[in-house]
Amino acid sequence: MATFYCDSCLNEKTSKAIECEELICEHCVKVHQSRTPHHLVNVDILPTSVLTSNQYCEIHTERILDLFCTQDDMLICRSCMPEKHRNCYSVIKLEDASRNIDDSSMLIVTKSELNGIANTIGNLEQERKSTSTKIEDDASFAASKVANLKDRMLKRIDEMEQDLLTEIKDIKRKHLSEINSTTEEIQEMKNKIDYLKQNLKTAGQVSSKSQKFVMIHSLKPKISELQDRLQHILSSTKSVDILFSPTMNILPSEKMGLIQENTIPYTIVHHISNQIQAPIIPKKPPSFIFTKEFNLIDSMISSSVIIQQDMLLVCFFDIPALGVVNEDGMITKMQKLTSKPWNIAIIPNTGKAMVSLAREKSIQYVKIKNLELEKKVSVEEKFPSEIWGIAVRKGRIALGSFGKVYLCNMKLDVLIDLTVGAGMVYYLNFDKSDRLYCVIKDTGEIYRFLKTGKLSFKYILNDYPDIGGIASDKYGNLMITDGKTNSIIEISSEGKKQRQILEGKDGIKNPAALFFNKTFTKLFVLNSDGSVTIFECCQNPQKSQEEFN
């Protein structure tokens, strides 16, 4: 234990102290008690934290914190009071504030909170151990399933190999047999031709002209027969190639299956006491509360829409494919595509969606119920540049291209041609009032157009270099992702103010796109690492709107 010396003694700090509001020694205690009789405690029985409980002000370092502001719930010194607490309605001496400390709710609450934290930490520690064991078990089980799948695949591949080798042997045997038969017939014809040629030569040497004539005339039907046989052989003879073409893609670049990582919020709750000694100005509650996160597959999710309740229809850009994700974060259906999908939009009242395949310069239509692919329409002839952004609203389709936004009818005939900044329009969004928003990623420009095509406002985000996904809330405020700063920015409905509403510490991971559910009670954020983060819109939206504006 540390040794403390008397603060009052003039004996060169050699007298051991006894605790009061200051440290005094046994020689000084009688004088001290004679002035102000009260309780003293020997320092040997006190912990160091109590002996050093006299705190000095961080601002006025020579001053002890001997006053308590009940309005701000903080200890202050006598110099703080005229500087920062002049208008506070209740500043009292520390000795008055602490007079009934032994029976105060502050002591009870402090003890209760320490016990509560200890209990919660214990529960959390136990839960962490259980989760660690579960992770080990789940990983082992998943690895065993992968190994089992590998064994079954290898066994099936061996069976398929044997089937193919047998088929190759049968084809080889059949054609070699045909060749052998033809070879025998060819040899027989050669022998017959040699025989006839020898007879003709002999007759030419010893026979008369009449005999030669008769002989030559007799050879005609035989020669005709040989020609017929030769023509038959030629017509039935074919060149044969034995080739192998795989009917399925089992290259190493393809996965045997999907490893899914599902995160579930803890059920452990730590309750914080609301019993306080002085009034506190409450902090403004956040607009969005983290609810859960889905880690799907190793692919960027470029776009998504809600198809029913909280089920998502997702564009997996890197695979490329479409997938249906249920409310538990499980992929229930997948549909491979011919090109990487970028943006997706639901066509109202049709049960269908349309997907922009920018690199292929086409739009793919798909049935939402079973992900059956329907027609694919090439847009190369209608539009000079690739189509990336896509949005649909009440019989109108908006398509985003380089420096252009095209408002089209449902047959993709252009109704209005809108010119925007010099950059690609990757995302588009219709709000509830049929106003159209678009973002130019390269320049940080944001445009809003009325239904007539008239520009409503233009806003530039200078501090956010990687803006992308865009969504509007029920009041027309605009939410925009920025992957570089790992944040989501909100722009007011009149296009005059901005604020950051979410960042990395809130659970987002380089966001690429975002959207609200139909009731605007949930915000879905699509992250570049293939995960989906879901937030609950918890604050009163009308109050939030008034504070923002």
Side-chain angles (χ1 to χ4, degrees):
M1 179 176 177
T3 301
F4 294 86
Y5 296 96
C6 180
D7 291 333
S8 303
C9 188
L10 301 178
N11 194 19
E12 297 182 354
K13 302 296 181 183
T14 58
S15 298
K16 193 174 180 181
I18 297 175
E19 170 71 357
C20 179
E21 289 301 316
E22 58 184 13
L23 297 172
I24 57 176
C25 71
E26 293 179 351
H27 298 290
C28 299
V29 68
K30 293 181 179 179
V31 176
H32 187 81
Q33 283 279 51
S34 65
R35 291 201 308 260
T36 311
H38 55 278
H39 182 64
L40 301 176
V41 180
N42 194 313
V43 295
D44 290 338
I45 66 173
L46 291 178
T48 303
S49 60
V50 174
L51 289 170
T52 58
S53 62
N54 281 343
Q55 298 181 16
Y56 287 86
C57 180
E58 293 181 358
I59 301 173
H60 313 99
T61 55
E62 77 286 354
R63 292 280 191 176
I64 292 176
L65 297 173
D66 55 356
L67 299 176
F68 181 69
C69 177
T70 61
Q71 181 173 336
D72 294 329
D73 191 27
M74 64 185 299
L75 290 166
I76 62 175
C77 74
R78 296 184 182 275
S79 295
C80 289
M81 183 174 177
E83 292 179 5
K84 296 185 178 180
H85 299 268
R86 181 183 300 273
N87 297 322
C88 293
Y89 58 78
S90 181
V91 175
I92 60 177
K93 294 180 180 180
L94 179 58
E95 60 188 55
D96 292 333
S98 61
R99 180 170 291 112
N100 298 317
I101 187 65
D102 291 335
D103 300 320
S104 69
S105 60
M106 177 185 285
L107 179 61
I108 297 172
V109 169
T110 301
K111 291 180 178 179
S112 176
E113 287 179 345
L114 287 173
N115 291 333
I117 293 172
N119 290 336
T120 303
I121 289 175
N123 293 335
L124 181 60
E125 182 180 27
Q126 184 60 42
E127 191 279 336
R128 290 286 76 195
K129 291 180 180 179
S130 300
T131 300
S132 178
T133 302
K134 185 177 183 299
I135 289 173
E136 293 286 352
D137 294 342
D138 288 350
S140 299
F141 182 66
S144 67
K145 291 184 70 175
V146 172
N148 181 262
L149 176 60
K150 174 187 172 184
D151 292 340
R152 289 189 288 116
M153 290 178 67
L154 291 175
K155 180 180 179 181
R156 180 55 185 151
I157 289 173
D158 289 339
E159 293 173 352
M160 294 165 66
E161 179 189 26
Q162 290 303 316
D163 292 342
L164 290 172
L165 292 177
T166 300
E167 187 176 352
I168 291 171
K169 289 179 182 178
D170 291 342
I171 294 173
K172 171 184 171 182
R173 186 184 301 110
K174 180 184 71 172
H175 288 289
L176 289 180
S177 175
E178 292 175 355
I179 290 172
N180 291 335
S181 176
T182 303
T183 302
E184 292 176 357
E185 187 173 1
I186 290 172
Q187 187 60 47
E188 180 187 348
M189 292 175 63
K190 285 176 65 178
N191 294 338
K192 192 167 186 177
I193 290 171
D194 291 343
Y195 173 75
L196 294 177
K197 288 169 66 177
Q198 185 60 42
N199 287 346
L200 184 60
K201 181 179 179 181
T202 301
Q205 294 173 350
V206 299
S207 302
S208 64
K209 293 181 178 181
S210 299
Q211 290 173 328
K212 290 179 182 178
F213 180 84
V214 172
M215 183 177 183
I216 292 171
H217 191 271
S218 65
L219 290 177
K220 287 183 178 181
K222 296 178 181 179
I223 291 173
S224 178
E225 178 189 355
L226 288 171
Q227 289 176 336
D228 291 342
R229 291 178 64 186
L230 181 60
Q231 288 294 340
H232 176 73
I233 292 173
L234 291 174
S235 64
S236 60
T237 300
K238 299 178 182 178
S239 177
V240 178
D241 295 327
I242 301 178
L243 305 173
F244 171 68
S245 299
T247 58
M248 64 178 181
N249 190 357
I250 55 172
L251 297 176
S253 61
E254 296 290 334
K255 293 184 177 181
M256 293 190 296
L258 301 177
I259 302 297
Q260 296 181 334
E261 175 189 354
N262 296 327
T263 58
I264 303 173
Y266 292 141
T267 57
I268 297 175
V269 177
H270 176 64
H271 297 285
I272 300 175
S273 172
N274 60 0
Q275 299 183 49
I276 54 177
Q277 291 297 105
I280 294 178
I281 300 174
K283 294 182 179 179
K284 178 183 174 183
S287 299
F288 302 94
I289 293 293
F290 174 87
T291 302
K292 56 185 173 181
E293 178 183 276
F294 299 150
N295 291 291
L296 301 178
I297 57 180
D298 189 17
S299 170
M300 174 185 174
I301 302 174
S302 56
S303 181
S304 179
V305 291
I306 293 182
I307 52 178
Q308 59 181 23
Q309 295 179 347
D310 284 344
M311 294 187 69
L312 308 181
L313 179 53
V314 176
C315 289
F316 293 114
F317 183 74
D318 299 321
I319 296 184
L322 296 177
V324 174
V325 180
N326 67 17
E327 60 186 0
D328 296 320
M330 303 293 291
I331 301 174
T332 59
K333 295 187 185 73
M334 285 196 74
Q335 174 65 61
K336 282 290 191 77
L337 299 173
T338 57
S339 183
K340 293 183 177 182
W342 180 253
N343 223 181
I344 186 169
I346 293 176
I347 306 173
N349 305 318
T350 64
K352 300 177 184 179
M354 54 195 308
V355 183
S356 60
L357 307 179
R359 298 301 186 193
E360 201 176 75
K361 294 184 177 180
S362 62
I363 293 177
Q364 176 70 63
Y365 290 81
V366 60
K367 287 184 178 179
I368 294 175
K369 184 176 182 180
N370 55 11
L371 297 191
E372 178 184 347
L373 299 182
E374 294 202 323
K375 65 180 179 179
K376 183 165 61 176
V377 178
S378 173
V379 295
E380 189 170 6
E381 294 181 2
K382 286 190 175 184
F383 307 103
S385 181
E386 297 171 345
I387 297 297
W388 289 80
I390 187 169
V392 180
R393 176 79 173 175
K394 295 182 180 179
R396 292 190 301 159
I397 299 174
L399 301 176
S401 186
F402 187 87
K404 291 283 187 180
V405 174
Y406 302 97
L407 286 176
C408 307
N409 60 19
M410 301 309 290
K411 295 181 180 179
L412 299 182
D413 298 319
V414 178
L415 304 176
I416 303 176
D417 181 337
L418 304 173
T419 300
V420 292
M424 186 63 71
V425 179
Y426 289 105
Y427 289 99
L428 295 162
N429 175 261
F430 282 110
D431 68 10
K432 293 186 66 176
S433 301
D434 286 350
R435 295 174 298 192
L436 176 64
Y437 297 84
C438 71
V439 171
I440 310 298
K441 181 175 183 178
D442 298 333
T443 61
E445 296 172 332
I446 300 157
Y447 295 80
R448 184 174 75 185
F449 296 94
L450 303 179
K451 188 174 182 180
T452 59
K454 181 180 178 181
L455 180 64
S456 175
F457 73 70
K458 174 183 174 182
Y459 191 92
I460 299 178
L461 281 170
N462 293 318
D463 300 327
Y464 297 92
D466 190 30
I467 61 174
I470 182 172
S472 56
D473 66 15
K474 67 190 296 183
Y475 296 100
N477 296 320
L478 202 58
M479 315 293 166
I480 301 173
T481 66
D482 184 72
K484 191 72 173 180
T485 62
N486 194 24
S487 60
I488 293 175
I489 311 101
E490 182 181 26
I491 297 175
S492 62
S493 58
E494 75 275 16
K496 294 181 179 180
K497 297 181 181 179
Q498 71 181 57
R499 63 178 176 181
Q500 185 185 70
I501 57 172
L502 291 171
E503 52 186 328
K505 67 180 182 179
D506 298 313
I508 59 176
K509 304 171 183 177
N510 301 113
L514 76 170
F515 58 98
F516 288 93
N517 62 354
K518 293 181 180 179
T519 57
F520 297 95
T521 56
K522 291 183 180 180
L523 176 66
F524 295 77
V525 180
L526 312 180
N527 300 302
S528 298
D529 66 350
S531 64
V532 179
T533 310
I534 303 175
F535 296 90
E536 180 183 0
C537 307
C538 63
Q539 190 178 8
N540 184 316
Q542 181 65 46
K543 182 177 180 182
S544 177
Q545 174 70 11
E546 292 170 354
E547 292 172 348
F548 193 17
N549 292 332

